[in-house]
Amino acid sequence: MPPPDLTAETADHRGLDVLAALDPDQRAAAEAVRGPVCILAGAGTGKTRTITHRIAHAVLSGTVDAEGVLAVTFTARAAGELRGRLRALGVGGVQARTFHAAALRQLTYFWPQVVGGETPRLVESKLRLVAEAATRSLRVSLPTAELRDVTSEIEWAKSSLVSPASYAADAVKARREPPRPPETIAAIFEAYEEVKQGSGQLDFEDLLLLTAGMIEEHRDVAARIRGQYRYFVVDEYQDVNPLQHQLLDAWLGPRDDLCVVGDAHQTIYSFTGASPDYLIGFTRRWPSATVVRLTRDYRSTPQVVSLANGVLAKAKGESGALRLALVAQRPDGPDPLFREFDDETAEAAAAAQRVTQLVADGTPAREIAILYRVNAQSETYEQALAGAGIPYLVRGGERFFERREVREAVTLLRGAARSTDSAGTDDLPATVRHVFAAANWSPQPPSGTGAARERWESLAALVRLAEELAAAAPEAGMAELVAEIEQRQSAQHAPPVDGVTLASLHAAKGLEWDAVFLVGLADGTMPITHAETPDQIEEERRLLYVGVTRAREHLWLSWALARSPGGARYRKPSRFLDGLLPASLRRPAAAERPTSSPSARKRAATVTCRVCGRVLSGAVERKLGRCEDCPSDRDEALFERLREWRLATSKERSQPAFVVFTDATLSAIAEAKPRTVAELVAVPGVGQRKLDDFGAAVLALVADSSG
């Protein structure tokens, strides 16, 4: 209600002033002060502005008391932003909280009255209790990675209102891929509940379940809560899970003053139990609901908006009916850049070079993000940025070499390097695979998602590093691999402030930057290999859409044809880019594409000698571009000068000589005698990092030798 000295007419006037800053669609949503109301808000359309101005208008016009409003969102950061904006609009008494914060407040207040005694202690992390439950039910201890996956399954089950007794059947129905058979997970789940209750603790799901139960079973509790909160707003409604929705229904009771805000095409958390069904089915439940669509995009340039619309143009499923065609409001900007590379190393090096250019042109590093599908992809980009001297920070995950599984793997490799059996091995990658096999790693990835998959990807990245080192330096053994890893670890010295953001697409939700790099956009990564059902594929499409809409102005989309330098080039760009690529990068239609067989991939990866035409197989010959015994036009004097320079440089940097450049690379340089940066980087073995570290010195030596 307005203060006593304000007349209703004055209050109405203040409420109208709040609407002045809104566009016509936002204003229509804000003026719908009575529920039910569904606001379909596309990315960048000002949904937070809309809902805060709607609340302010309702309060200032006398429609509702500020203390009677409960605005619910999913993160403490978003709730804090809502409170700050509402205070600025003069309605500071509104409650804006996460589901869990609101439930904790209510449960703590009513528990002594309903149950008696103090509220049970809240479990900060389930991992210890799950470990105890697994030991109790299986009689064995599970590794940490598997414990995380089991914990995720328990959280999904509780968020989806699935009990231990029904888990096995419901998990199969939901096409879950748990780390152990469903019956085993159900047993651990049941033991977890027993351990938790025996210790007098509650987890975060219990908070919601018990609060909803108190409201549903105790009329006095329901009356007091519903008497306090009469006006509900739920942000990011597409991410609500069944447990959260049960609590929302308990809060609401028989009333309909509910406003929900969401975008079905930003549903990317279904693996946690989130469901867009409540948003999609809102008008079925509330046939008289007011529905407002926000499509004016104030975040991104027309070029970015056009691409975002294109990504969703072929979206399928029930959410297609709620598709929002965004309309850009910003001036024109640069066209999105589509880039294809031979391998991931080249892709990362080029991205780092483009970042350097953007920063030089005035884009702050903090306004640049590199986004990828899985966290294990970060290492290549961490290395490329560190090599280019670009500060960065990893969001939503640890730096690659700080991850527990990577630290444990490096310890294993150091132990192997100290053993005489592994010294001077003829097949370094095979040795690394053998070492990791002792830690239950196999060349075939596990099915499904979660910590086990991320652990596999991390160790696979170390195997690829061994493969790259073996290709560049066939004489390298385990000791040299460990030295290379330690060098890469030490290169992660960039301060974690004001740097380029490295993040997974999931971790980027809700954020935005001036420049966004979407990398690794090859089929098998986007969509991810284990996305098999139509619903899973569509969620991958939405994930790409979320990534595109994080960019305000500059957008880079890239993929690599092979994982490692010299690898088989059989990948193709993401199917979600079909019809969006420039003509130079378009592939034949699916029906016209040749079948990708191992033999075809092998032929595509062949390199022939530039002298005699024989197919080259050895790493050194492929690097030289000719047979080792074919005539060479190498400048011997230059080759010797390069070797002398390498020796001095390796001593100065306290590194093995081959880490600077291998003999094969020096020989190739002495044959090609590059005069420009472009010519030097075209020499096999000269990547972006080596170009940055040694390029100027090498080009100077070549120039001196040419006299």
Side-chain angles (χ1 to χ4, degrees):
M1 295 289 291
D5 59 337
L6 284 179
T7 65
E9 182 180 353
T10 304
D12 286 343
H13 179 67
R14 287 184 58 186
L16 290 173
D17 286 344
V18 169
L19 304 179
L22 304 181
D23 69 31
D25 295 331
Q26 294 171 343
R27 182 170 181 137
E31 288 180 328
V33 291
R34 285 299 184 185
V37 176
C38 178
I39 303 173
L40 301 175
T45 57
K47 69 178 179 65
T48 304
R49 168 187 286 268
T50 302
I51 59 177
T52 52
H53 282 66
R54 179 181 182 272
I55 293 170
H57 175 56
V59 171
L60 296 173
S61 64
T63 303
V64 65
D65 292 333
E67 293 77 10
V69 179
L70 179 58
V72 189
T73 188
F74 284 83
T75 66
R77 181 183 64 83
E81 183 180 359
L82 285 177
R83 289 193 296 269
R85 292 200 189 192
L86 289 167
R87 281 195 300 269
L89 292 170
V91 285
V94 171
Q95 294 293 312
R97 298 180 180 275
T98 65
F99 276 98
H100 291 98
L104 178 60
R105 190 168 186 242
Q106 294 169 12
L107 190 68
T108 302
Y109 181 82
F110 286 107
W111 184 276
Q113 304 171 39
V114 174
V115 181
E118 295 185 359
T119 309
R121 183 164 51 90
L122 188 63
V123 175
E124 292 296 330
S125 171
K126 295 185 181 70
L127 207 61
R128 181 182 60 80
L129 295 182
V130 173
E132 184 178 343
T135 302
R136 177 183 296 187
S137 59
L138 302 182
R139 301 291 188 267
V140 295
S141 297
L142 297 182
T144 302
E146 191 170 356
L147 281 174
R148 292 196 196 104
D149 287 344
V150 173
T151 300
S152 295
E153 280 301 298
I154 292 174
E155 290 176 346
W156 168 81
K158 299 191 72 168
S159 296
S160 302
L161 301 176
V162 171
S163 68
S166 65
Y167 171 82
D170 288 341
V172 172
K173 183 178 179 181
R175 302 181 70 103
R176 301 291 292 182
E177 295 183 342
R180 296 227 169 185
E183 294 76 14
T184 303
I185 300 298
I188 298 174
F189 184 7
E190 184 175 12
Y192 164 78
E193 291 295 324
E194 294 172 354
V195 170
K196 175 169 58 66
Q197 292 169 12
S199 62
Q201 299 183 80
L202 301 176
D203 60 27
F204 283 98
E205 291 76 30
D206 292 334
L207 275 183
L208 308 190
L209 189 63
L210 291 174
T211 303
M214 280 199 317
I215 298 171
E216 292 165 351
E217 296 174 15
H218 298 272
R219 291 183 179 180
D220 56 333
V221 174
R224 294 185 65 179
I225 290 178
R226 292 170 185 168
Q228 169 70 44
Y229 298 115
R230 299 175 174 273
Y231 197 80
F232 295 88
V233 178
V234 182
D235 192 14
E236 303 287 2
Y237 193 60
Q238 77 279 350
D239 290 332
V240 167
N241 62 43
L243 177 55
Q244 292 163 336
H245 206 265
Q246 179 175 330
L247 176 58
L248 178 61
D249 278 348
W251 283 336
L252 193 62
R255 300 165 297 173
D256 65 358
D257 257 332
L258 171 66
C259 173
V260 301
V261 188
D263 179 3
H265 285 100
Q266 294 191 63
T267 304
I268 58 174
Y269 298 113
S270 66
F271 60 91
T272 67
S275 172
D277 292 347
Y278 302 112
L279 178 64
I280 294 170
F282 192 82
T283 54
R284 288 197 291 268
R285 179 178 181 183
W286 310 100
S288 63
T290 299
V291 179
V292 181
R293 294 171 179 256
L294 304 184
T295 58
R296 292 179 173 88
D297 187 304
Y298 298 96
R299 175 187 299 161
S300 305
T301 63
Q303 287 75 13
V304 173
V305 168
S306 176
L307 182 60
N309 288 335
V311 169
L312 286 187
K314 297 181 181 179
K316 302 172 183 176
E318 192 175 6
S319 63
L322 300 183
R323 184 179 302 129
L324 299 168
L326 301 177
V327 181
Q329 304 299 301
R330 289 188 56 183
D332 276 349
D335 289 331
L337 298 177
F338 295 89
R339 295 291 184 265
E340 181 176 276
F341 297 93
D342 287 346
D343 53 72
E344 291 179 0
T345 302
E347 183 182 6
Q353 187 175 23
R354 174 62 178 158
V355 168
T356 302
Q357 181 182 342
L358 286 170
V359 172
D361 291 342
T363 302
R366 65 179 177 276
E367 286 294 346
I368 301 173
I370 297 177
L371 308 181
Y372 34 75
R373 177 61 180 84
V374 295
N375 287 326
Q377 292 173 268
S378 75
E379 192 273 336
T380 305
Y381 293 89
E382 291 178 52
Q383 186 64 27
L385 292 175
I390 301 168
Y392 66 89
L393 57 95
V394 180
R395 184 183 183 91
E398 298 170 296
R399 291 184 176 186
F400 181 80
F401 286 109
E402 294 171 1
R403 296 173 192 163
R404 179 170 181 171
E405 66 268 20
V406 174
R407 288 188 279 109
E408 292 173 348
V410 172
T411 299
L412 291 175
L413 295 177
R414 287 196 181 104
R418 288 193 294 269
S419 72
T420 55
D421 291 341
S422 64
T425 177
D426 291 332
D427 193 338
L428 178 60
T431 302
V432 173
R433 294 188 194 99
H434 178 73
V435 170
F436 289 169
N440 297 318
W441 184 87
S442 70
Q444 297 302 317
S447 61
T449 60
R453 178 75 185 211
E454 289 195 2
R455 176 181 183 273
W456 184 90
E457 294 280 3
S458 294
L459 299 192
L462 292 175
V463 173
R464 292 197 297 274
L465 179 60
E467 292 170 345
E468 293 169 10
L469 181 59
E475 69 276 15
M478 292 295 293
E480 289 76 16
L481 174 61
V482 170
E484 173 73 5
I485 289 173
E486 290 174 345
Q487 180 193 0
R488 293 187 176 218
Q489 285 177 305
S490 65
Q492 295 178 358
H493 53 74
V497 293
D498 198 23
V500 173
T501 298
L502 293 174
S504 70
L505 286 162
H506 284 101
K509 178 73 162 38
L511 305 175
E512 58 186 80
W513 296 269
D514 286 346
V516 169
F517 290 70
L518 301 178
V519 299
L521 300 184
D523 257 359
T525 306
M526 174 56 65
I528 198 78
T529 304
H530 53 72
E532 298 175 345
T533 69
D535 286 347
Q536 290 169 341
I537 294 295
E538 286 307 305
E539 182 147 340
E540 293 288 299
R541 185 193 305 275
R542 295 194 294 269
L543 193 55
L544 177 59
Y545 171 76
V546 166
V548 169
T549 55
R550 300 310 93 196
R552 299 191 191 104
E553 183 175 2
H554 301 281
L555 183 60
W556 160 295
L557 303 97
S558 63
W559 59 93
L561 300 178
R563 189 180 292 273
S564 304
R569 299 169 57 189
Y570 59 87
R571 292 175 171 178
K572 58 178 181 289
S574 169
R575 70 193 73 173
F576 301 143
L577 299 179
D578 286 352
L580 303 176
L581 296 175
S584 60
L585 292 174
R586 290 176 190 161
R587 295 291 192 277
E592 302 171 0
R593 290 175 186 159
T595 302
S596 180
S597 64
S599 59
R601 293 197 290 268
K602 183 176 180 180
R603 288 193 300 273
T606 58
V607 177
T608 58
C609 174
R610 66 172 182 267
V611 179
C612 70
R614 183 178 68 84
V615 174
L616 303 177
S617 57
V620 173
E621 290 186 336
R622 292 166 68 91
K623 188 178 292 290
L624 291 173
R626 61 170 176 79
C627 303
E628 289 190 85
D629 55 358
C630 276
S632 168
D633 53 356
R634 183 174 75 186
D635 185 326
E636 294 297 336
L638 173 59
F639 179 67
E640 290 305 320
R641 292 187 64 185
L642 287 168
R643 293 188 64 181
E644 292 171 3
W645 164 82
R646 181 184 65 177
L647 179 61
T649 301
S650 65
K651 289 181 178 179
E652 179 183 334
R653 298 168 70 99
S654 299
Q655 296 174 337
F658 79 89
V659 172
V660 179
F661 281 120
T662 65
D663 278 350
T665 299
L666 293 185
S667 183
I669 292 172
E671 291 186 20
K673 290 185 281 191
R675 296 178 177 272
T676 66
V677 170
E679 291 176 354
L680 178 58
V681 80
V683 175
V686 181
Q688 184 66 45
R689 180 166 59 87
K690 293 186 185 294
L691 181 67
D692 292 340
D693 289 349
F694 312 123
V698 170
L699 290 174
L701 286 170
V702 174
D704 288 346
S705 71
S706 302

